[in-house]
Amino acid sequence: MKLEWGCHRGFPADRYHALKDVASASSLRELRMHTPAHLKRRLDEPFTPSPAMMFGTLVHERLLEPGKDPSGFIVRPDTINGKKWHGAKKECKAWMEQAAVNGLVVMSKEEMDEVDDAVAA
């Protein structure tokens, strides 16, 4: 994707993070702390966000983009087909597999409550 020079408001975070040919704060930090070879390796490797990064993304979205559905995240239900959730049940495994197929990060209600507490604070 080719971007024109300047400030781009409302640019979706997932598209921003997918850009490879722009200077982001993290890429400039990598160049300052290491070498261009380190930066190239980091850009070439698949990126997997840490749990702390996912938490920060959700807090950012809930605080700075109210009303927007949390992109890429889903809260695991307490029950499935009228029965209490248990990860070993066939239905629960199928639900988790479908979430993964859809590219969603599954969170517990308690984890989402922590996000909501951080936003409220």
Side-chain angles (χ1 to χ4, degrees):
M1 167 189 304
K2 179 83 169 137
L3 286 180
E4 296 299 320
W5 175 259
C7 180
H8 300 273
R9 300 200 183 280
F11 197 77
D14 57 336
R15 288 181 53 205
Y16 167 77
H17 291 294
L19 295 172
K20 299 290 184 199
D21 57 348
V22 298
S24 66
S26 59
S27 64
L28 294 174
R29 189 177 318 107
E30 186 80 28
L31 283 174
R32 184 175 58 103
M33 303 298 288
H34 301 288
T35 67
H38 285 91
L39 175 60
K40 180 172 180 355
R41 185 189 74 214
R42 186 175 65 77
L43 292 175
D44 290 345
E45 290 177 352
F47 176 73
T48 303
S50 69
M53 293 170 118
M54 291 187 288
F55 180 85
T57 296
L58 272 172
V59 169
H60 171 99
E61 287 183 358
R62 303 285 292 253
L63 185 63
L64 300 176
E65 302 175 67
K68 177 183 175 189
D69 287 334
S71 58
F73 297 89
I74 190 168
V75 176
R76 190 196 77 220
D78 291 330
T79 62
I80 191 161
N81 296 334
K83 298 176 187 170
K84 185 174 171 146
W85 181 275
H86 189 286
K89 289 182 182 175
K90 182 173 75 170
E91 299 94 340
C92 298
K93 289 179 182 180
W95 188 94
M96 293 291 286
E97 288 172 7
Q98 187 60 51
V101 165
N102 292 334
L104 298 171
V105 175
V106 178
M107 299 181 66
S108 68
K109 170 128 176 39
E110 293 77 20
E111 290 169 323
M112 188 56 84
D113 288 344
E114 287 181 32
V115 169
D116 292 337
D117 290 346
V119 170

